[in-house]
Amino acid sequence: MTKHPIEVITSVERRRRWSREDKERLVSACFEPDAVISDVARAAGIHVSQLFRWRKELCRLDEPKAPVATMLVPVIVSEAVPAGQSIPSEPSASPSSRKRSDVTIELGRDRRIRVDSDIDTDALGRILDCVLGLR
């Protein structure tokens, strides 16, 4: 028969407080070779999901927070060029004789934006910021 330590909570408060060092110790035990996370959690007397949450929080804190820069670049869609033929640096057709084409941007959750392919990129950036709630 194996003896296991039992923690008796005598106060009204049922939550245990874990120090950052204890959390880091348990999370680092998860990264040991041949470590089984459920065994680590069971030995600490916590639920596996709590250990996963701590691991997610502590690993996210260690990542450097780089600013997210959104940059839009113009895209030119053209027909395939046969091998050995050079690609012109600028379209040869004038803007008035160029075919009009629409671009559909899928934003998820059944949201789409359809714009003309020659839309001003700054204006499109402002529109996307508003739609995505970044402004």
Side-chain angles (χ1 to χ4, degrees), residues 23-97:
K23 291 178 184 180
E24 288 174 350
R25 180 180 49 80
L26 290 169
V27 168
S28 66
C30 295
F31 292 112
E32 293 293 323
D34 300 326
V36 178
I37 295 179
S38 59
D39 291 343
V40 173
R42 191 177 305 115
I46 60 174
H47 195 271
V48 178
S49 63
Q50 181 68 57
L51 193 53
F52 277 112
R53 187 176 304 120
W54 288 346
R55 188 173 75 170
K56 183 178 179 182
E57 289 172 1
L58 292 173
C59 290
R60 183 178 50 225
L61 290 176
D62 293 340
E63 293 176 356
K65 294 186 179 180
V68 178
T70 304
M71 189 171 109
L72 300 174
V73 295
V75 176
I76 299 173
V77 179
S78 62
E79 300 199 17
V81 178
Q85 188 177 7
S86 65
I87 301 172
S89 60
E90 293 185 16
S92 57
S94 66
S96 60
S97 66

Side-chain angles (χ1 to χ4, degrees), residues 16-29:
R16 290 183 282 176
R17 303 289 181 200
W18 294 87
S19 68
R20 182 172 173 92
E21 292 78 26
D22 288 335
K23 291 178 184 180
E24 288 174 350
R25 180 180 49 80
L26 290 169
V27 168
S28 66

Side-chain angles (χ1 to χ4, degrees), residues 112-124:
R112 293 177 191 85
I113 294 179
R114 182 172 291 138
V115 295
D116 190 21
S117 61
D118 63 351
I119 188 170
D120 177 58
T121 56
D122 292 330
L124 180 59

